[in-house]
Amino acid sequence: MSRSIALVDCNNFYVSCEQVFNPKLKGKPVVVLSNNDGCAVARSDEAKALGIKMGQPWFQFKKLARKHGVIAYSSNYTLYADMSNRVMNILSEFSPNQEVYSIDECFLDLTGSCRCNLTDHVQKIRKRIRQQTGLPVCIGIGASKTLAKLANYIAKKNSQFQHVCDLNAMTILEQNRWLHKIKIGKVWGVGKQLVPKLRQIGIYNALDLKHANPEILNLRFSVLLKKTVYELNNVICIELEEMAAPKKQIIYSRSFGVLVTSLERLEQSVALYVSRAAGKLRQQNSYAGSIHVYIRTSPFNKKESCYANSITIPLPEQINDTLALMRIASWGLRKIYHSGYKYQKAGVMLSKLVSSEECQPDLFSKKKVRSKSTNLMMVLDQVNALMGRKMLAIAAEGITQPWKIKQNNRSPRYTTSWDDLITVNQFNVGECWAGVKSP
């Protein structure tokens, strides 16, 4: 019996989250912008119809937005993360085998989970998510993760499927007809750089790739493409990852809300980024053996002189202590900093990560000091997990942080902030008005 792998994908996720709490946005062109309101990272169907592209800079379609009444929001990551967790918790009730693939996508293994019609079963999943979160989703089902991805794409693009496409319920002839319609660049695992190379050897769509020789593609391109061919032929090569694999690198970087000229402000930003990265490091129970710090001016500002530099610092021993990492990062920053420039971005990267079992402390380091560091970081993480991420912070991160990213048009954090809860005011019996308390 073939497997039934489902991919559940939230439609226009960031925009849909905004529409849940502001129904007036439905049917209107809406975009959500990236950090510092830089470019479009989510678009409603109406915004897509106006020709606004994913990743298109805000300044390029600002006039178009004003002309057509496009509503633009700053990214509200706190809201989006909470809504994502709610969706994933609901999906976990339908299968013990779940892989949270991204903030808005999730794989489920539904093999043998339903004796009735599987399409009807997953329609119930869609209805449950809609009822409990208000979010619309599309679901694709296939014998492999690659086919589930393509089934989801078919469900999104063809209204006849009513948001659910089950390739397993089709004959091979029907499957092939749909795969023939999907361009090769839409196949999961086929990057943009690979598309022209595949076209040169006559592979233009998903069906062409399905019928290709996997061994030849392995020799000419990569083992990943070989696996993709097998997956298109109902052979599972990419299993569900129920537990997220520990990251091999942790990167934290942001563009500044205003250009930064002073070393003090740069040190604050780097300290904050180290704090965030170190928190993620401890969350996956890892230690870092190297830290990389970089700074740069804007590459697009032709009126100002440009400067970019970075430094990689091997650590004397593998650590995950925020304070120690901050001291080392600050030392590195001072080595690459030059005055007289207007800096636009900074970032840090922790690499050479190992698990706690693989960590090898310095032979000459004091055990008492390491124990004190471990206990301090444990308290820091526990307090922030219980009371909120900003409850305890390192003073080096700064207090006012005027350089932080701009979020001039961020919606309220409806589900995670008491100050942003929706309020209901009753005027007469049977009549009420719901509003949102401004952030």
Side-chain angles (χ1 to χ4, degrees), residues 77-78 247 249-254 267-284 286 291 320-323 325-326 329 346-350 353 377 380-381 384-385 388-399 401 403-405 407 413:
Y77 296 121
T78 304
K247 294 182 179 180
Q249 294 178 330
I250 296 177
I251 302 173
Y252 202 100
S253 65
R254 292 289 185 273
E267 284 185 312
Q268 289 179 358
S269 65
V270 168
L272 176 64
Y273 302 159
V274 169
S275 177
R276 297 287 184 265
K280 294 179 180 179
L281 184 69
R282 292 191 296 274
Q283 195 172 36
Q284 68 174 39
S286 296
I291 184 168
N320 62 11
D321 185 302
T322 298
L323 294 172
L325 289 168
M326 279 184 180
V348 299
M349 178 177 70
L350 304 178
L353 307 188
M377 293 301 104
L380 177 69
D381 294 337
N384 285 335
R389 190 172 67 178
K390 297 180 181 179
M391 184 57 61
L392 282 182
I394 312 300
E397 299 174 21
I399 305 300
Q401 300 175 338
W403 40 266
K404 290 195 70 174
I405 61 173
Q407 292 180 304
R413 295 162 295 177

Short mmCIF file of all heavy atoms in Angstrom, two decimals, residues 77-78 247 249-254 267-284 286 291 320-323 325-326 329 346-350 353 377 380-381 384-385 388-399 401 403-405 407 413:
data_model
loop_
_atom_site.label_atom_id
_atom_site.label_comp_id
_atom_site.label_asym_id
_atom_site.label_seq_id
_atom_site.Cartn_x
_atom_site.Cartn_y
_atom_site.Cartn_z
N TYR A 77 5.67 39.56 13.59
CA TYR A 77 6.13 38.18 13.74
C TYR A 77 5.60 37.51 15.00
O TYR A 77 5.42 36.29 15.02
CB TYR A 77 7.66 38.15 13.73
CG TYR A 77 8.26 38.62 12.42
CD1 TYR A 77 9.13 39.70 12.37
CD2 TYR A 77 7.96 37.97 11.23
CE1 TYR A 77 9.68 40.13 11.17
CE2 TYR A 77 8.50 38.39 10.03
CZ TYR A 77 9.36 39.47 10.00
OH TYR A 77 9.89 39.90 8.81
N THR A 78 5.36 38.28 16.04
CA THR A 78 4.83 37.70 17.28
C THR A 78 3.45 37.09 17.03
O THR A 78 3.16 35.97 17.46
CB THR A 78 4.73 38.77 18.37
OG1 THR A 78 6.01 39.37 18.56
CG2 THR A 78 4.28 38.16 19.68
N LYS A 247 20.44 22.89 14.20
CA LYS A 247 21.08 23.70 13.16
C LYS A 247 22.60 23.60 13.29
O LYS A 247 23.14 23.51 14.38
CB LYS A 247 20.63 25.15 13.29
CG LYS A 247 19.15 25.36 13.00
CD LYS A 247 18.78 26.83 13.10
CE LYS A 247 17.31 27.04 12.77
NZ LYS A 247 16.92 28.47 12.88
N GLN A 249 24.49 25.99 11.93
CA GLN A 249 24.88 27.39 12.09
C GLN A 249 23.67 28.16 12.59
O GLN A 249 22.52 27.84 12.24
CB GLN A 249 25.36 28.00 10.77
CG GLN A 249 26.64 27.42 10.23
CD GLN A 249 27.02 28.06 8.90
OE1 GLN A 249 26.16 28.48 8.14
NE2 GLN A 249 28.32 28.14 8.62
N ILE A 250 23.90 29.17 13.39
CA ILE A 250 22.83 30.04 13.85
C ILE A 250 23.20 31.47 13.49
O ILE A 250 24.22 31.99 13.93
CB ILE A 250 22.60 29.91 15.37
CG1 ILE A 250 22.12 28.50 15.71
CG2 ILE A 250 21.58 30.95 15.86
CD1 ILE A 250 21.93 28.24 17.19
N ILE A 251 22.38 32.07 12.66
CA ILE A 251 22.65 33.43 12.16
C ILE A 251 21.55 34.36 12.67
O ILE A 251 20.37 34.03 12.63
CB ILE A 251 22.68 33.46 10.62
CG1 ILE A 251 23.75 32.50 10.09
CG2 ILE A 251 22.94 34.87 10.12
CD1 ILE A 251 23.74 32.34 8.59
N TYR A 252 21.96 35.51 13.14
CA TYR A 252 21.00 36.54 13.55
C TYR A 252 21.53 37.88 13.03
O TYR A 252 22.60 38.33 13.41
CB TYR A 252 20.82 36.59 15.06
CG TYR A 252 19.52 37.22 15.48
CD1 TYR A 252 18.42 36.45 15.84
CD2 TYR A 252 19.37 38.61 15.49
CE1 TYR A 252 17.22 37.03 16.20
CE2 TYR A 252 18.17 39.19 15.85
CZ TYR A 252 17.10 38.40 16.20
OH TYR A 252 15.91 38.98 16.56
N SER A 253 20.76 38.49 12.14
CA SER A 253 21.16 39.78 11.59
C SER A 253 19.92 40.59 11.27
O SER A 253 18.85 40.03 10.99
CB SER A 253 22.01 39.60 10.33
OG SER A 253 21.24 38.99 9.29
N ARG A 254 20.05 41.90 11.32
CA ARG A 254 18.94 42.80 11.01
C ARG A 254 19.48 44.09 10.39
O ARG A 254 20.58 44.53 10.69
CB ARG A 254 18.17 43.17 12.30
CG ARG A 254 17.39 42.05 12.94
CD ARG A 254 16.18 41.66 12.10
NE ARG A 254 15.37 40.66 12.76
CZ ARG A 254 15.54 39.35 12.69
NH1 ARG A 254 16.57 38.87 11.99
NH2 ARG A 254 14.74 38.52 13.30
N GLU A 267 27.75 48.31 18.99
CA GLU A 267 27.98 47.32 20.04
C GLU A 267 26.67 46.87 20.66
O GLU A 267 26.50 45.68 20.98
CB GLU A 267 28.90 47.91 21.11
CG GLU A 267 30.35 47.98 20.69
CD GLU A 267 31.27 48.45 21.82
OE1 GLU A 267 30.93 49.47 22.46
OE2 GLU A 267 32.29 47.80 22.06
N GLN A 268 25.73 47.80 20.83
CA GLN A 268 24.43 47.42 21.37
C GLN A 268 23.71 46.44 20.44
O GLN A 268 23.15 45.44 20.90
CB GLN A 268 23.57 48.67 21.58
CG GLN A 268 24.01 49.56 22.71
CD GLN A 268 23.14 50.80 22.83
OE1 GLN A 268 22.22 51.01 22.04
NE2 GLN A 268 23.42 51.63 23.83
N SER A 269 23.71 46.75 19.15
CA SER A 269 23.02 45.88 18.20
C SER A 269 23.66 44.50 18.14
O SER A 269 22.96 43.48 18.16
CB SER A 269 23.02 46.52 16.81
OG SER A 269 24.32 46.62 16.27
N VAL A 270 24.99 44.45 18.10
CA VAL A 270 25.68 43.16 18.05
C VAL A 270 25.43 42.37 19.34
O VAL A 270 25.22 41.15 19.31
CB VAL A 270 27.19 43.36 17.82
CG1 VAL A 270 27.96 42.07 18.06
CG2 VAL A 270 27.44 43.87 16.41
N ALA A 271 25.39 43.07 20.48
CA ALA A 271 25.10 42.40 21.75
C ALA A 271 23.70 41.79 21.74
O ALA A 271 23.49 40.66 22.20
CB ALA A 271 25.23 43.38 22.91
N LEU A 272 22.74 42.52 21.19
CA LEU A 272 21.37 42.00 21.09
C LEU A 272 21.32 40.77 20.19
O LEU A 272 20.69 39.76 20.53
CB LEU A 272 20.43 43.07 20.57
CG LEU A 272 18.98 42.63 20.32
CD1 LEU A 272 18.31 42.23 21.62
CD2 LEU A 272 18.17 43.73 19.63
N TYR A 273 22.01 40.83 19.05
CA TYR A 273 21.99 39.71 18.13
C TYR A 273 22.68 38.48 18.72
O TYR A 273 22.23 37.34 18.51
CB TYR A 273 22.65 40.10 16.80
CG TYR A 273 22.00 41.30 16.13
CD1 TYR A 273 22.69 42.05 15.18
CD2 TYR A 273 20.71 41.70 16.44
CE1 TYR A 273 22.11 43.15 14.56
CE2 TYR A 273 20.11 42.79 15.84
CZ TYR A 273 20.82 43.52 14.90
OH TYR A 273 20.24 44.62 14.31
N VAL A 274 23.75 38.71 19.46
CA VAL A 274 24.42 37.60 20.15
C VAL A 274 23.47 36.98 21.17
O VAL A 274 23.38 35.75 21.30
CB VAL A 274 25.71 38.08 20.83
CG1 VAL A 274 26.25 37.00 21.77
CG2 VAL A 274 26.77 38.43 19.80
N SER A 275 22.73 37.81 21.89
CA SER A 275 21.79 37.32 22.89
C SER A 275 20.73 36.43 22.26
O SER A 275 20.40 35.35 22.78
CB SER A 275 21.13 38.51 23.61
OG SER A 275 20.17 38.06 24.54
N ARG A 276 20.18 36.87 21.13
CA ARG A 276 19.15 36.07 20.44
C ARG A 276 19.74 34.76 19.92
O ARG A 276 19.14 33.69 20.04
CB ARG A 276 18.57 36.88 19.28
CG ARG A 276 17.85 38.15 19.71
CD ARG A 276 16.52 37.84 20.36
NE ARG A 276 15.81 39.08 20.67
CZ ARG A 276 15.84 39.70 21.84
NH1 ARG A 276 16.56 39.17 22.83
NH2 ARG A 276 15.16 40.81 22.05
N ALA A 277 20.93 34.84 19.31
CA ALA A 277 21.56 33.64 18.76
C ALA A 277 21.94 32.66 19.86
O ALA A 277 21.76 31.44 19.72
CB ALA A 277 22.79 34.03 17.94
N ALA A 278 22.46 33.18 20.97
CA ALA A 278 22.86 32.30 22.07
C ALA A 278 21.64 31.61 22.68
O ALA A 278 21.72 30.45 23.11
CB ALA A 278 23.61 33.10 23.13
N GLY A 279 20.51 32.33 22.74
CA GLY A 279 19.28 31.72 23.25
C GLY A 279 18.85 30.54 22.38
O GLY A 279 18.45 29.48 22.90
N LYS A 280 18.94 30.71 21.06
CA LYS A 280 18.61 29.60 20.15
C LYS A 280 19.62 28.46 20.29
O LYS A 280 19.25 27.29 20.17
CB LYS A 280 18.60 30.11 18.70
CG LYS A 280 17.49 31.11 18.40
CD LYS A 280 17.56 31.57 16.96
CE LYS A 280 16.46 32.58 16.65
NZ LYS A 280 16.54 33.06 15.24
N LEU A 281 20.86 28.81 20.54
CA LEU A 281 21.91 27.81 20.71
C LEU A 281 21.60 26.91 21.91
O LEU A 281 21.66 25.68 21.81
CB LEU A 281 23.26 28.52 20.90
CG LEU A 281 24.51 27.65 21.02
CD1 LEU A 281 24.81 26.98 19.68
CD2 LEU A 281 25.70 28.50 21.46
N ARG A 282 21.24 27.52 23.03
CA ARG A 282 20.92 26.73 24.22
C ARG A 282 19.61 25.99 24.05
O ARG A 282 19.42 24.90 24.63
CB ARG A 282 20.86 27.65 25.45
CG ARG A 282 22.22 28.23 25.83
CD ARG A 282 22.15 28.92 27.19
NE ARG A 282 21.26 30.08 27.18
CZ ARG A 282 21.61 31.30 26.82
NH1 ARG A 282 22.85 31.54 26.42
NH2 ARG A 282 20.75 32.30 26.85
N GLN A 283 18.71 26.54 23.28
CA GLN A 283 17.42 25.90 23.06
C GLN A 283 17.59 24.54 22.38
O GLN A 283 16.84 23.60 22.66
CB GLN A 283 16.52 26.81 22.21
CG GLN A 283 15.06 26.42 22.21
CD GLN A 283 14.21 27.48 21.52
OE1 GLN A 283 14.62 28.09 20.55
NE2 GLN A 283 13.01 27.69 22.01
N GLN A 284 18.56 24.43 21.49
CA GLN A 284 18.81 23.14 20.84
C GLN A 284 19.93 22.37 21.54
O GLN A 284 20.44 21.40 21.01
CB GLN A 284 19.13 23.33 19.37
CG GLN A 284 20.45 24.02 19.07
CD GLN A 284 20.76 24.04 17.58
OE1 GLN A 284 19.88 24.24 16.74
NE2 GLN A 284 22.01 23.83 17.22
N SER A 286 23.09 23.09 22.32
CA SER A 286 24.35 23.06 21.58
C SER A 286 25.35 24.06 22.15
O SER A 286 24.99 24.94 22.94
CB SER A 286 24.12 23.37 20.10
OG SER A 286 23.34 22.38 19.48
N ILE A 291 32.61 32.22 16.33
CA ILE A 291 31.64 33.30 16.17
C ILE A 291 32.11 34.23 15.05
O ILE A 291 33.30 34.55 14.96
CB ILE A 291 31.42 34.08 17.49
CG1 ILE A 291 30.33 35.14 17.30
CG2 ILE A 291 32.71 34.69 17.99
CD1 ILE A 291 29.85 35.75 18.60
N ASN A 320 28.24 28.30 25.27
CA ASN A 320 26.92 28.82 24.91
C ASN A 320 26.49 29.92 25.89
O ASN A 320 25.31 30.25 25.98
CB ASN A 320 25.87 27.71 24.86
CG ASN A 320 25.67 27.02 26.20
OD1 ASN A 320 26.17 27.47 27.23
ND2 ASN A 320 24.93 25.91 26.19
N ASP A 321 27.46 30.49 26.59
CA ASP A 321 27.23 31.55 27.55
C ASP A 321 27.07 32.88 26.83
O ASP A 321 27.98 33.33 26.12
CB ASP A 321 28.39 31.61 28.53
CG ASP A 321 28.17 32.62 29.66
OD1 ASP A 321 27.96 33.80 29.35
OD2 ASP A 321 28.19 32.22 30.83
N THR A 322 25.92 33.53 27.00
CA THR A 322 25.65 34.79 26.32
C THR A 322 26.69 35.86 26.66
O THR A 322 27.18 36.57 25.78
CB THR A 322 24.25 35.30 26.69
OG1 THR A 322 23.26 34.35 26.26
CG2 THR A 322 23.96 36.64 26.02
N LEU A 323 27.03 35.98 27.93
CA LEU A 323 27.97 37.02 28.37
C LEU A 323 29.35 36.83 27.74
O LEU A 323 29.97 37.78 27.27
CB LEU A 323 28.08 37.03 29.89
CG LEU A 323 26.81 37.45 30.65
CD1 LEU A 323 26.99 37.23 32.14
CD2 LEU A 323 26.45 38.90 30.36
N LEU A 325 30.06 35.16 24.97
CA LEU A 325 29.96 35.39 23.53
C LEU A 325 29.87 36.87 23.21
O LEU A 325 30.43 37.34 22.22
CB LEU A 325 28.74 34.64 22.97
CG LEU A 325 28.86 33.12 22.92
CD1 LEU A 325 27.51 32.48 22.64
CD2 LEU A 325 29.87 32.69 21.87
N MET A 326 29.18 37.63 24.06
CA MET A 326 29.09 39.08 23.86
C MET A 326 30.47 39.74 23.95
O MET A 326 30.80 40.63 23.15
CB MET A 326 28.15 39.71 24.89
CG MET A 326 26.68 39.59 24.58
SD MET A 326 25.71 40.48 25.82
CE MET A 326 24.06 40.17 25.20
N ALA A 329 32.40 38.90 20.81
CA ALA A 329 31.85 39.60 19.64
C ALA A 329 32.19 41.08 19.67
O ALA A 329 32.50 41.68 18.64
CB ALA A 329 30.33 39.40 19.59
N ALA A 346 24.09 44.90 10.65
CA ALA A 346 25.10 44.13 11.38
C ALA A 346 24.54 42.73 11.63
O ALA A 346 23.32 42.51 11.56
CB ALA A 346 25.46 44.80 12.70
N GLY A 347 25.43 41.80 11.93
CA GLY A 347 24.95 40.45 12.18
C GLY A 347 26.01 39.58 12.84
O GLY A 347 27.20 39.92 12.84
N VAL A 348 25.57 38.47 13.39
CA VAL A 348 26.48 37.50 13.99
C VAL A 348 26.11 36.11 13.52
O VAL A 348 24.95 35.84 13.17
CB VAL A 348 26.44 37.55 15.54
CG1 VAL A 348 26.86 38.91 16.05
CG2 VAL A 348 25.06 37.18 16.06
N MET A 349 27.09 35.23 13.50
CA MET A 349 26.85 33.83 13.14
C MET A 349 27.64 32.94 14.09
O MET A 349 28.85 33.12 14.26
CB MET A 349 27.26 33.55 11.71
CG MET A 349 27.08 32.08 11.29
SD MET A 349 27.49 31.76 9.56
CE MET A 349 29.28 31.96 9.61
N LEU A 350 26.95 32.01 14.71
CA LEU A 350 27.59 31.01 15.55
C LEU A 350 27.74 29.74 14.73
O LEU A 350 26.78 29.25 14.13
CB LEU A 350 26.75 30.73 16.80
CG LEU A 350 26.41 31.95 17.68
CD1 LEU A 350 25.54 31.52 18.86
CD2 LEU A 350 27.68 32.63 18.17
N LEU A 353 29.04 24.14 15.60
CA LEU A 353 28.16 23.77 16.72
C LEU A 353 28.27 22.28 17.04
O LEU A 353 28.35 21.44 16.14
CB LEU A 353 26.71 24.13 16.38
CG LEU A 353 26.43 25.56 15.92
CD1 LEU A 353 24.94 25.80 15.81
CD2 LEU A 353 27.07 26.58 16.85
N MET A 377 22.80 31.05 32.94
CA MET A 377 22.08 30.99 31.66
C MET A 377 20.75 30.25 31.81
O MET A 377 19.76 30.59 31.17
CB MET A 377 22.95 30.34 30.60
CG MET A 377 24.18 31.13 30.19
SD MET A 377 23.78 32.78 29.53
CE MET A 377 24.23 33.83 30.93
N LEU A 380 18.32 32.69 33.33
CA LEU A 380 17.96 33.68 32.31
C LEU A 380 16.92 33.12 31.35
O LEU A 380 15.90 33.77 31.07
CB LEU A 380 19.23 34.10 31.55
CG LEU A 380 19.03 35.09 30.38
CD1 LEU A 380 18.62 36.46 30.90
CD2 LEU A 380 20.31 35.20 29.55
N ASP A 381 17.14 31.92 30.85
CA ASP A 381 16.22 31.31 29.89
C ASP A 381 14.87 30.98 30.53
O ASP A 381 13.81 31.18 29.91
CB ASP A 381 16.83 30.04 29.30
CG ASP A 381 18.06 30.34 28.43
OD1 ASP A 381 18.17 31.49 27.95
OD2 ASP A 381 18.90 29.44 28.26
N ASN A 384 12.77 34.24 31.16
CA ASN A 384 12.25 34.81 29.91
C ASN A 384 11.22 33.91 29.26
O ASN A 384 10.30 34.39 28.59
CB ASN A 384 13.41 35.07 28.94
CG ASN A 384 14.21 36.30 29.32
OD1 ASN A 384 13.70 37.20 29.99
ND2 ASN A 384 15.47 36.35 28.92
N ALA A 385 11.36 32.59 29.43
CA ALA A 385 10.36 31.67 28.89
C ALA A 385 9.04 31.81 29.63
O ALA A 385 7.95 31.72 29.04
CB ALA A 385 10.87 30.24 28.97
N GLY A 388 8.26 36.23 29.55
CA GLY A 388 8.40 37.00 28.31
C GLY A 388 9.86 37.24 28.00
O GLY A 388 10.69 37.42 28.89
N ARG A 389 10.17 37.25 26.68
CA ARG A 389 11.57 37.27 26.25
C ARG A 389 12.35 38.48 26.75
O ARG A 389 13.53 38.42 26.98
CB ARG A 389 11.62 37.23 24.71
CG ARG A 389 13.01 37.00 24.15
CD ARG A 389 12.99 36.77 22.67
NE ARG A 389 12.58 37.94 21.92
CZ ARG A 389 12.52 38.00 20.59
NH1 ARG A 389 12.81 36.93 19.89
NH2 ARG A 389 12.15 39.10 19.98
N LYS A 390 11.69 39.60 26.93
CA LYS A 390 12.39 40.83 27.30
C LYS A 390 12.40 41.09 28.81
O LYS A 390 12.82 42.15 29.26
CB LYS A 390 11.74 42.02 26.58
CG LYS A 390 11.83 41.95 25.06
CD LYS A 390 11.17 43.15 24.41
CE LYS A 390 11.23 43.07 22.90
NZ LYS A 390 10.57 44.24 22.26
N MET A 391 11.92 40.13 29.59
CA MET A 391 11.86 40.35 31.02
C MET A 391 13.25 40.51 31.63
O MET A 391 13.49 41.39 32.45
CB MET A 391 11.12 39.18 31.69
CG MET A 391 10.92 39.36 33.19
SD MET A 391 10.04 40.89 33.61
CE MET A 391 8.47 40.63 32.77
N LEU A 392 14.19 39.66 31.24
CA LEU A 392 15.58 39.79 31.67
C LEU A 392 16.44 40.00 30.44
O LEU A 392 16.34 39.25 29.46
CB LEU A 392 16.06 38.54 32.41
CG LEU A 392 15.62 38.36 33.86
CD1 LEU A 392 16.24 37.09 34.43
CD2 LEU A 392 16.02 39.56 34.71
N ALA A 393 17.28 41.02 30.46
CA ALA A 393 18.15 41.31 29.32
C ALA A 393 19.51 41.74 29.83
O ALA A 393 19.67 42.19 30.97
CB ALA A 393 17.54 42.40 28.44
N ILE A 394 20.50 41.62 28.99
CA ILE A 394 21.85 42.06 29.31
C ILE A 394 21.95 43.55 29.04
O ILE A 394 21.49 44.04 28.01
CB ILE A 394 22.90 41.30 28.48
CG1 ILE A 394 22.62 39.78 28.52
CG2 ILE A 394 24.30 41.60 28.97
CD1 ILE A 394 22.65 39.17 29.88
N ALA A 395 22.53 44.31 29.98
CA ALA A 395 22.59 45.76 29.86
C ALA A 395 23.29 46.20 28.58
O ALA A 395 22.98 47.26 28.02
CB ALA A 395 23.29 46.36 31.08
N ALA A 396 24.23 45.39 28.08
CA ALA A 396 24.98 45.74 26.88
C ALA A 396 24.08 45.87 25.66
O ALA A 396 24.47 46.50 24.65
CB ALA A 396 26.06 44.71 26.61
N GLU A 397 22.87 45.29 25.71
CA GLU A 397 21.95 45.37 24.58
C GLU A 397 21.35 46.76 24.41
O GLU A 397 20.76 47.07 23.37
CB GLU A 397 20.80 44.35 24.75
CG GLU A 397 21.27 42.91 24.81
CD GLU A 397 20.13 41.96 25.14
OE1 GLU A 397 18.96 42.34 24.91
OE2 GLU A 397 20.41 40.84 25.63
N GLY A 398 21.51 47.63 25.41
CA GLY A 398 20.93 48.98 25.33
C GLY A 398 19.51 49.01 25.86
O GLY A 398 18.84 47.97 25.97
N ILE A 399 19.06 50.20 26.19
CA ILE A 399 17.71 50.37 26.75
C ILE A 399 16.73 50.88 25.69
O ILE A 399 15.74 50.24 25.38
CB ILE A 399 17.74 51.35 27.94
CG1 ILE A 399 18.75 50.87 29.01
CG2 ILE A 399 16.35 51.47 28.56
CD1 ILE A 399 18.47 49.50 29.58
N GLN A 401 17.40 51.59 22.34
CA GLN A 401 17.65 50.94 21.06
C GLN A 401 17.00 51.68 19.88
O GLN A 401 16.15 51.13 19.17
CB GLN A 401 17.16 49.49 21.10
CG GLN A 401 17.84 48.65 22.17
CD GLN A 401 17.25 47.25 22.29
OE1 GLN A 401 16.12 47.01 21.89
NE2 GLN A 401 18.00 46.34 22.85
N TRP A 403 18.09 52.28 17.06
CA TRP A 403 18.50 51.69 15.79
C TRP A 403 17.64 50.49 15.38
O TRP A 403 17.82 49.95 14.28
CB TRP A 403 19.96 51.23 15.89
CG TRP A 403 20.27 50.60 17.21
CD1 TRP A 403 20.78 51.22 18.31
CD2 TRP A 403 20.02 49.25 17.59
NE1 TRP A 403 20.90 50.33 19.36
CE2 TRP A 403 20.44 49.10 18.94
CE3 TRP A 403 19.51 48.13 16.93
CZ2 TRP A 403 20.34 47.91 19.63
CZ3 TRP A 403 19.41 46.93 17.62
CH2 TRP A 403 19.82 46.83 18.95
N LYS A 404 16.73 50.06 16.24
CA LYS A 404 15.97 48.85 15.95
C LYS A 404 15.11 49.04 14.69
O LYS A 404 14.83 50.14 14.24
CB LYS A 404 15.07 48.47 17.14
CG LYS A 404 15.85 47.95 18.34
CD LYS A 404 14.96 47.26 19.34
CE LYS A 404 14.43 45.93 18.85
NZ LYS A 404 13.69 45.18 19.87
N ILE A 405 14.68 47.91 14.12
CA ILE A 405 13.94 47.95 12.86
C ILE A 405 12.67 48.78 12.99
O ILE A 405 12.05 48.85 14.05
CB ILE A 405 13.58 46.52 12.39
CG1 ILE A 405 12.68 45.80 13.42
CG2 ILE A 405 14.81 45.72 12.10
CD1 ILE A 405 12.16 44.48 12.94
N GLN A 407 8.83 49.49 12.41
CA GLN A 407 7.55 48.80 12.24
C GLN A 407 6.44 49.83 12.39
O GLN A 407 5.61 49.77 13.29
CB GLN A 407 7.39 47.68 13.29
CG GLN A 407 8.36 46.52 13.10
CD GLN A 407 8.17 45.44 14.14
OE1 GLN A 407 8.25 45.70 15.34
NE2 GLN A 407 7.93 44.22 13.70
N ARG A 413 -0.64 42.99 18.57
CA ARG A 413 -0.32 41.58 18.86
C ARG A 413 -1.52 40.99 19.60
O ARG A 413 -1.47 40.78 20.81
CB ARG A 413 0.96 41.52 19.67
CG ARG A 413 2.20 42.01 18.92
CD ARG A 413 3.33 42.35 19.85
NE ARG A 413 2.98 43.49 20.71
CZ ARG A 413 3.76 43.97 21.66
NH1 ARG A 413 4.93 43.42 21.89
NH2 ARG A 413 3.37 45.00 22.39
#
